[in-house]
Amino acid sequence: MTPLRMIYLALAIWGAIHPMYYFITWFNANGYDIMAMVDAWHVNAATSGLVWDLTIAAVTLTVWIIAEVAVRRNWLALIAIPATFCIGVSCGLPLYLFLRTAPVR
């Protein structure tokens, strides 16, 4: 594995673990209510802006993944889409780059 691929993998793991710590901490303090978390994301204009920024980035990444998978036929790369929406762009983007930079067979 190349050093660049190792960096992408490390970033994907970090992007999965680090944000999840904050989500779990919030759920433990406020209960496991997804809609309450969504409400917390929109508590002020700054957080709403961040939510929209990440949502637009996630949709853009999804379009890019689908477009490239259609051409490259790298079906495994589709796993980055649920990683993006279930964990976050901080996991989905480096995971996709890790999968995309795999040696061509």
Side-chain angles (χ1 to χ4, degrees):
M1 187 176 333
T2 66
L4 184 59
R5 287 195 79 221
M6 288 190 297
I7 290 169
Y8 289 149
L9 182 58
L11 288 169
I13 292 168
W14 182 24
I17 294 171
H18 198 140
M20 203 56 60
Y21 166 79
Y22 292 100
F23 292 148
I24 291 170
T25 300
W26 189 90
F27 280 131
N28 286 337
N30 299 288
Y32 288 83
D33 183 358
I34 296 291
M35 291 314 297
M37 180 178 256
V38 171
D39 290 340
W41 291 342
H42 294 282
V43 74
N44 60 45
T47 59
S48 290
L50 185 59
V51 167
W52 279 109
D53 179 63
L54 292 171
T55 301
I56 293 165
V59 170
T60 303
L61 176 58
T62 300
V63 170
W64 181 36
I65 291 169
I66 292 169
E68 285 216 334
V69 165
V71 172
R72 297 167 61 101
R73 303 290 190 238
N74 180 10
W75 304 111
L76 182 60
L78 290 172
I79 195 74
I81 295 173
T84 298
F85 286 97
C86 294
I87 300 170
V89 176
S90 63
C91 176
L93 176 59
L95 177 61
Y96 177 67
L97 293 173
F98 170 76
L99 294 169
R100 186 182 186 280
T101 55
V104 178
R105 298 178 194 175

